[in-house]
């Protein structure tokens, strides 16, 4: 992956326009994927300080929490992202956390919402290792048919 290049590019954008909250959001998630939780959160908080209702930054903050195994905080931030934009990937993120926890009912509930927005998430769910703990449940299997 090209996370360092992405961060450098977003730094150029931010140098030209320090109010470019979208660039902060992209830079933050790139920092998270590079393994730097503290930097990522600071950058995402900067994006949200500039634009509190930017769904992309809320989603990226949720994803950062999820990447670092802070699952309750991740669910909270996916929910905050959904307050602004009903995205299939926010519902999917919540479903994947419940999947890891082996919570069939909540996995199916949130995955069903993701699929209702974008049926293509079924394909992703079929391959997603996060769903392994619930994969054999009849409810999960029925949802992916």
């Amino acid at each position: 992956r090209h996370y360092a290049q992405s961060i450098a590019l977003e730094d150029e954008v931010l140098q030209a326009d320090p109010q470019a909250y979208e660039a902060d959001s992209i830079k933050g998630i790139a920092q998270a994927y590079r393994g730097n939780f503290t930097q990522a959160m600071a950058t995402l908080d900067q994006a949200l300080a500039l634009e509190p209702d930017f769904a992309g930054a809320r989603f990226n903050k949720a994803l950062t929490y999820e990447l670092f195994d802070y699952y309750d905080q991740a669910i909270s931030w996916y929910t905050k992202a959904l307050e602004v934009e009903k995205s299939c990937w926010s519902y999917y993120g919540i479903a994947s956390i419940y999947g890891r926890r082996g919570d069939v009912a909540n996995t199916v509930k949130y995955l069903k919402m993701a699929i209702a927005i974008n049926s293509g998430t079924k394909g992703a769910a079929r391959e997603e290792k996060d769903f392994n703990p619930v994969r054999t449940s009849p409810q999960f299997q029925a949802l992916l048919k």
Side-chain angles (χ1 to χ4, degrees):
R1 308 274 177 153
H2 303 285
Y3 301 120
Q5 288 173 299
S6 178
I7 291 166
L9 181 61
E10 298 311 325
D11 280 339
E12 288 179 29
V13 172
L14 288 162
Q15 191 168 25
D17 179 5
Q19 302 298 308
Y21 58 88
E22 300 96 332
D24 276 323
S25 180
I26 294 167
K27 179 181 174 181
I29 197 62
Q31 289 168 325
Y33 276 112
R34 289 197 77 202
N36 195 323
F37 178 80
T38 304
Q39 266 187 334
M41 282 299 172
T43 304
L44 292 166
D45 285 342
Q46 170 116 4
L48 290 166
L50 293 168
E51 183 51 62
D53 290 335
F54 181 45
R58 290 180 181 201
F59 177 87
N60 285 342
K61 190 162 180 166
L63 183 55
T64 298
Y65 275 125
E66 184 177 359
L67 290 170
F68 288 86
D69 300 331
Y70 296 109
Y71 297 137
D72 292 335
Q73 294 92 329
I75 290 171
S76 174
W77 277 94
Y78 281 129
T79 302
K80 288 177 185 186
L82 288 164
E83 291 169 0
V84 179
E85 179 184 329
K86 300 296 183 208
S87 162
C88 67
W89 296 111
S90 291
Y91 287 120
Y92 186 95
I94 295 170
S96 72
I97 291 167
Y98 283 122
R100 281 189 212 111
R101 292 177 169 174
D103 183 335
V104 174
N106 278 313
T107 300
V108 169
K109 173 184 173 182
Y110 288 98
L111 189 55
K112 192 178 287 188
M113 290 184 224
I115 292 167
I117 295 170
N118 178 353
S119 62
T121 55
K122 275 187 185 185
R126 286 186 186 107
E127 305 299 320
E128 180 65 62
K129 65 179 174 48
D130 294 344
F131 295 124
N132 287 348
V134 299
R135 192 165 307 282
T136 59
S137 77
Q139 301 94 320
F140 184 82
Q141 288 181 353
L143 185 60
L144 296 186
K145 284 187 179 177

